[in-house]
Amino acid sequence: MVMRKLIFLVLFIIFYTITHAQYVGWMMGTWKSTSVATLPGSVTNTIQIDDVSDESFTGTKTSESNDRSHAKIIISISGSFRGRGLYIENGDVLHKEDPKNGQWYDCSSCTHVNKMIISHDSLILINSISGCDKRCDGEISFYRLLSEYDSSTQQHLVDRFGRPSDIIGFHPYHPQKDETAPPTDSAEAIRKEEKKHQDSLDNVARIKQQQADDAALLLAQQKQRQQEITDSLNLVKQQRIKDSLDNVARIKQQQIDDAALLAQQKKRQQEITDSLNLVKQQRIKDSLDNVARIKQQQIDDAALLAQQKKRDKQITDSLNLVKQQRIKDSLDNVARIKQQQIDEAALLLAQQKKRDKQIADSLNLVKQQRIKDSLDNVARIRQQQIADSTLLAQQKKRDKQIADSLNLVKQKEQQRIKDSLDNVARLEKIRLRTEDSLRDVQAKKRQQEIADSISLAKQKEHQRIKDSLDNVARIRQQQINDSTLLAQQKKRDKQIADSLNLVKQKEQQHIKDSLDNVAKLEQIRRRNEDSLRNVQIKKRQQEVADSLNLVNAKKQQYIKDSLQSVAAANLQKQRTTDSLRDVQARKRQQEISDSLAAVRKQQYNDSLQKAALAKAATPAADKPLTSRTSVLLGTYHITSPDILIELFDNGEIDGDRVSVYHNNEIIVSNQVLGLKAITLNIHADTTNREHEFVMVAENLGTIPPNSALMRVTVGKQIYKLTVNTDMKTNARIVFYYDGK
């Protein structure tokens, strides 16, 4: 539709430019008046156009008296064509010679009305003055024969200034050969001039009659257009009622759909609540199972601790026994202790693996549970680690005790070796003392025996030292292995602690995210409910507004199409209306205004009757507040205590009547909206901060719905609201005073 309008506008501009921007070279030449030049006391008027530029021209106008003096006046003129209008202005007086029995009267201050018409074979320029001095009022006609122009110029002039009948019956005029021949007889020339003048007068009479006929035809067409507009309005009203009923049905269906959607939302909310309850029950059950497993683990740890104490006691007894026994027993004890350590290490490793498995199971279980169970598990595992650390410290203490016993054994062995060496020294001294008393053989024998004894003792001592060193090396290697195992244990403990911290952080983050998600879901649910209610309200308001806009658009489009069709049908006839631009145009405008005023008066009376009937049918003044739906247009917070409200009719004045309630008290009762504002002044204070205004439609006017423009001034702030109400909905606006 918009594209069609643009195309139509472009074509209209092109057509207007072509038809109105023509070169007016055809104005060049002499224009003669239609008055009889031979009558005594008459005046011969002549226009001479000397220069033409586009649609403008300049020349002179000559008036000459038809007496013996032949006095004349010559005035310069200039003019132009603007659209379909012809404008000619008088300039300076170039020559002036007053007649003997009078003088030329200056009519330059009078208003001249000029127009062009086609009459048979002539192009006539009519210059008329009215409402001025009686010596100037009148009408002067100038003419030129169409035969003076070529065929194309004749066609252009007829199309531009002719009537439809002239345009349809046009055929080019050719100049007559005898028209230029001078008459041989002056009487014959006079008769021809008189006949020509009479023909011109007849032509003028026919033109006036034609103008009257055109005026009557135009009036009839105007009445027909008015009837078409009335029929269009009735059709639009019927269509609007039908569209309103359809809109009401759609709104009801939408309300049903919204109710079903709300029920589904509540059902989904119930399902979420049931799921949360089920998750809580499952979590409690898992927590109880975990507590039972932890208690069983504590019992197993207690049994293991008893075994460890028993082993510690055995080690203590072995140490006491080592202190009392010889090197052989000490070595046997060391071997048994080593075997015991190997067994304990294997058992500790198995227990550690078991605990690692339990910890892994606990971690897997923790990953599936909530934060409370996870924290409890972590605390219990930490307690177990503390117990293991205590056990490890005891193991270190036992290792230290073993090392101390080994050092003690080593010291005893060294002391024994030292004592043996001391014995050998004493024996050597004895040998030296007895060497003098023994003979050589006996001395050698005893020396040999002593040497053998010393060698044997040295071998035994070396063997014992070697065995002791081997034992020390084996014990050191065992300590190194135990240290490596301890380092691995620490590393595993650190890994377990890191894993537990990571699991704890993940569980805390997971629970925090879960709580955030629940809060977000609750917030989203509330927002959805609020937005759903707002969307429903806005959708209903939008549907009502769209239906009203659609009806208005259809109405305006129908009226516009009707006017365009009428304008298109009368496009050719519109050229004849130029002759009625003054008095007749005003007359038509007055008739149209009177007709519209009568129609509006009738519609206004009908609306008053409807309003009276509606008012009589209302049992109470506040019934519209309870029986109609009040639509909230907006809520505003203000700091200025003075509120000024002005109500106007929005658009065309069609007799809309409204009532206004302030905090459920009527302050405007059944008043008509118009160009003059209905003014309300309200003062707010701290004791009465909330001010609610409800506008109620008392009728729909001649053009439904009841439309008003509300302008609210609060301090320096101005609010402009377009309010549309009907017999089912009210408009509500709320102001909150936030001042002190």
Side-chain angles (χ1 to χ4, degrees):
M1 180 61 70
V2 176
M3 185 61 69
R4 188 191 306 171
K5 291 180 180 179
L6 290 174
I7 294 173
F8 178 77
L9 180 61
V10 172
L11 294 176
F12 178 76
I13 292 173
I14 295 173
F15 176 76
Y16 183 87
T17 303
I18 293 174
T19 56
H20 294 83
Q22 297 292 335
Y23 180 68
V24 293
W26 47 270
M27 286 288 294
M28 290 281 291
T30 302
W31 294 75
K32 301 177 181 178
S33 65
T34 58
S35 60
V36 180
T38 57
L39 295 178
S42 62
V43 177
T44 300
N45 296 295
T46 305
I47 293 177
Q48 179 67 36
I49 303 301
D50 300 323
D51 186 28
V52 174
S53 175
D54 294 333
E55 294 189 347
S56 303
F57 55 86
T58 57
T60 58
K61 182 172 71 173
T62 303
S63 298
E64 183 178 357
S65 62
N66 296 323
D67 54 11
R68 293 182 180 180
S69 64
H70 292 285
K72 61 182 178 180
I73 182 172
I74 301 174
I75 303 173
S76 64
I77 61 172
S78 62
S80 63
F81 283 90
R82 302 173 189 170
R84 299 183 61 83
L86 173 60
Y87 301 89
I88 299 176
E89 296 180 354
N90 292 334
D92 299 332
V93 177
L94 303 178
H95 174 78
K96 182 177 181 182
E97 182 182 353
D98 292 328
K100 292 181 179 181
N101 298 327
Q103 63 181 359
W104 298 107
Y105 188 76
D106 185 10
C107 299
S108 60
S109 61
C110 299
T111 302
H112 296 258
V113 178
N114 305 282
K115 56 186 174 182
M116 285 281 191
I117 63 171
I118 298 293
S119 177
H120 298 288
D121 60 346
S122 301
L123 176 63
I124 298 177
L125 188 156
I126 301 175
N127 177 268
S128 60
I129 299 175
S130 61
C132 194
D133 191 89
K134 63 180 180 179
R135 287 170 291 185
C136 296
D137 289 347
E139 188 176 271
I140 302 175
S141 299
F142 301 90
Y143 74 94
R144 290 186 68 178
L145 297 176
L146 292 174
S147 58
E148 298 178 14
Y149 304 104
D150 56 21
S151 299
S152 60
T153 305
Q154 291 182 32
Q155 181 69 51
H156 168 69
L157 294 175
V158 172
D159 290 341
R160 187 167 184 177
F161 304 111
R163 295 169 297 180
S165 58
D166 297 329
I167 296 172
I168 295 172
F170 169 74
H171 58 85
Y173 292 93
H174 301 285
Q176 301 293 331
K177 294 181 180 180
D178 56 353
E179 288 179 357
T180 57
T184 57
D185 189 10
S186 60
E188 185 67 22
I190 291 172
R191 282 195 301 272
K192 286 184 179 181
E193 288 293 333
E194 289 178 351
K195 184 178 180 181
K196 189 174 181 180
H197 179 66
Q198 187 63 34
D199 292 340
S200 299
L201 293 176
D202 294 339
N203 286 335
V204 171
R206 282 195 300 273
I207 289 169
K208 291 184 178 180
Q209 183 62 34
Q210 184 65 31
Q211 290 175 350
D213 295 340
D214 292 341
L217 179 61
L218 188 61
L219 183 61
Q221 291 175 353
Q222 184 67 31
K223 290 181 179 180
Q224 184 179 359
R225 283 198 299 274
Q226 186 66 30
Q227 184 63 33
E228 290 176 354
I229 292 171
T230 304
D231 295 339
S232 301
L233 291 174
N234 293 330
L235 183 61
V236 167
K237 287 181 180 179
Q238 295 175 0
Q239 184 66 30
R240 183 169 53 199
I241 293 171
K242 183 178 178 181
D243 294 339
S244 299
L245 293 175
D246 294 340
N247 281 332
V248 170
R250 283 196 298 272
I251 291 170
K252 289 183 178 179
Q253 184 63 34
Q254 183 64 32
Q255 290 176 347
I256 294 171
D257 296 339
D258 294 339
L261 183 62
L262 187 59
Q264 292 177 359
Q265 184 71 21
K266 289 181 179 179
K267 184 177 179 181
R268 285 197 297 272
Q269 186 64 30
Q270 185 63 32
E271 290 176 354
I272 292 171
T273 305
D274 295 339
S275 300
L276 291 175
N277 293 330
L278 184 61
V279 168
K280 288 180 181 179
Q281 294 175 1
Q282 184 65 31
R283 186 169 56 192
I284 292 170
K285 183 179 178 182
D286 294 339
S287 299
L288 294 175
D289 294 339
N290 199 18
V291 168
R293 283 193 297 272
I294 290 169
K295 286 182 179 180
Q296 185 63 36
Q297 182 67 30
Q298 289 176 350
I299 293 170
D300 296 338
D301 292 339
L304 184 62
L305 184 61
Q307 292 177 1
Q308 184 67 31
K309 287 181 180 180
K310 185 177 180 181
R311 284 195 300 273
D312 292 340
K313 186 177 181 181
Q314 291 175 357
I315 292 170
T316 303
D317 296 338
S318 299
L319 289 174
N320 293 328
L321 185 61
V322 166
K323 290 178 181 180
Q324 298 172 2
Q325 292 178 352
R326 298 292 181 178
I327 294 175
K328 184 176 180 180
D329 296 335
S330 298
L331 294 175
D332 294 338
N333 256 337
V334 169
R336 285 195 300 272
I337 291 169
K338 181 179 179 181
Q339 184 63 35
Q340 184 70 25
Q341 287 178 346
I342 293 171
D343 296 337
E344 288 176 356
L347 180 60
L348 185 62
L349 184 60
Q351 290 175 355
Q352 186 64 37
K353 288 182 178 179
K354 185 178 179 180
R355 283 197 297 273
D356 291 341
K357 185 177 180 181
Q358 290 174 353
I359 290 170
D361 295 337
S362 298
L363 290 175
N364 293 328
L365 183 62
V366 164
K367 288 181 180 178
Q368 300 173 358
Q369 293 176 349
R370 298 294 180 182
I371 187 168
K372 184 177 178 181
D373 300 334
S374 300
L375 293 176
D376 294 339
N377 253 340
V378 169
R380 284 190 295 273
I381 292 170
R382 178 59 62 188
Q383 186 66 31
Q384 181 64 32
Q385 287 180 345
I386 293 170
D388 292 339
S389 299
T390 304
L391 185 62
L392 190 59
Q394 293 174 358
Q395 181 66 31
K396 288 182 179 179
K397 185 177 180 181
R398 286 195 300 274
D399 292 340
K400 185 178 180 181
Q401 290 175 356
I402 292 169
D404 294 338
S405 62
L406 290 174
N407 291 329
L408 183 60
V409 169
K410 185 177 179 181
Q411 290 175 2
K412 286 182 178 181
E413 288 294 327
Q414 291 176 355
Q415 185 65 35
R416 187 183 294 273
I417 293 169
K418 184 178 180 181
D419 293 340
S420 299
L421 293 175
D422 291 339
N423 290 329
V424 170
R426 283 194 300 271
L427 289 175
E428 184 66 24
K429 288 178 179 180
I430 291 169
R431 184 185 64 77
L432 292 175
R433 283 195 302 266
T434 60
E435 193 176 24
D436 295 334
S437 61
L438 294 176
R439 293 179 179 181
D440 295 334
V441 178
Q442 293 176 352
K444 289 181 181 177
K445 184 177 180 180
R446 284 196 297 270
Q447 189 175 1
Q448 182 65 36
E449 290 176 356
I450 292 169
D452 293 336
S453 300
I454 291 172
S455 297
L456 182 60
K458 286 182 178 180
Q459 290 177 0
K460 288 182 178 180
E461 290 298 326
H462 284 303
Q463 184 64 35
R464 288 176 184 175
I465 292 170
K466 183 178 180 182
D467 294 337
S468 298
L469 292 175
D470 291 338
N471 287 330
V472 170
R474 283 194 298 272
I475 292 170
R476 179 60 61 186
Q477 184 64 35
Q478 183 64 33
Q479 289 177 348
I480 292 171
N481 294 333
D482 293 339
S483 299
T484 304
L485 183 62
L486 183 61
Q488 293 176 355
Q489 180 66 26
K490 288 182 178 180
K491 185 176 181 180
R492 283 197 298 273
D493 291 340
K494 185 177 180 182
Q495 291 176 352
I496 291 169
D498 294 338
S499 301
L500 289 175
N501 292 329
L502 183 61
V503 169
K504 182 178 178 181
Q505 292 176 0
K506 287 185 178 179
E507 284 299 320
Q508 290 177 351
Q509 186 65 32
H510 178 68
I511 291 171
K512 185 178 179 182
D513 295 339
S514 301
L515 294 176
D516 292 340
N517 290 331
V518 170
K520 288 180 180 178
L521 288 174
E522 182 66 21
Q523 189 175 6
I524 290 170
R525 182 183 66 79
R526 292 179 180 176
R527 287 180 181 175
N528 288 335
E529 290 179 356
D530 296 338
S531 62
L532 183 61
R533 286 194 294 268
N534 293 331
V535 167
Q536 290 173 357
I537 293 172
K538 289 181 180 179
K539 188 174 182 181
R540 288 195 292 270
Q541 293 177 352
Q542 187 63 32
E543 287 178 351
V544 172
D546 293 341
S547 61
L548 295 176
N549 293 332
L550 181 61
V551 169
N552 292 330
K554 287 183 178 179
K555 173 184 173 183
Q556 293 176 0
Q557 185 61 35
Y558 189 83
I559 293 172
K560 187 174 182 180
D561 294 340
S562 301
L563 294 175
Q564 287 179 356
S565 61
V566 171
N570 297 328
L571 183 62
Q572 296 296 333
K573 296 180 181 180
Q574 190 177 0
R575 295 176 180 174
T576 59
T577 59
D578 292 339
S579 60
L580 304 174
R581 298 186 63 166
D582 298 324
V583 178
Q584 294 167 348
R586 293 193 186 96
K587 183 178 180 181
R588 284 199 308 274
Q589 186 65 30
Q590 186 63 34
E591 289 175 352
I592 293 171
S593 301
D594 294 340
S595 300
L596 292 175
V599 171
R600 289 178 180 173
K601 184 177 181 181
Q602 183 63 33
Q603 292 175 348
Y604 180 71
N605 292 332
D606 294 340
S607 64
L608 290 178
Q609 292 176 1
K610 291 180 181 179
L613 293 174
K615 184 177 181 182
T618 304
D622 59 348
K623 184 178 179 181
L625 292 178
T626 58
S627 61
R628 301 182 188 179
T629 302
S630 295
V631 179
L632 180 62
L633 299 181
T635 300
Y636 302 94
H637 291 267
I638 60 176
T639 56
S640 178
D642 296 321
I643 304 172
L644 173 63
I645 299 178
E646 299 172 292
L647 297 175
F648 307 87
D649 196 333
N650 190 19
E652 186 176 352
I653 307 300
D654 58 347
D656 290 334
R657 286 180 171 270
V658 298
S659 296
V660 180
Y661 292 82
H662 172 236
N663 291 342
N664 295 327
E665 293 183 0
I666 190 166
I667 56 176
V668 175
S669 178
N670 198 14
Q671 292 192 18
V672 181
L673 296 173
L675 295 176
K676 185 178 179 181
I678 300 175
T679 304
L680 305 173
N681 289 288
I682 304 298
H683 182 76
D685 52 25
T686 57
T687 60
N688 189 12
R689 293 184 178 276
E690 182 177 355
H691 296 271
E692 179 187 57
F693 299 92
V694 180
M695 195 177 80
V696 178
E698 299 293 348
N699 67 348
L700 299 179
T702 57
I703 304 176
N706 189 314
S707 58
L709 175 64
M710 178 183 290
R711 184 171 64 193
V712 182
T713 303
V714 182
K716 296 182 179 180
Q717 190 69 29
I718 298 177
Y719 306 92
K720 292 184 179 180
L721 301 174
T722 300
V723 184
N724 293 323
T725 56
D726 52 26
M727 307 310 289
K728 293 183 179 180
T729 58
N730 302 328
R732 183 165 66 96
I733 182 172
V734 179
F735 289 92
Y736 286 98
Y737 176 61
D738 295 334
K740 297 182 181 179

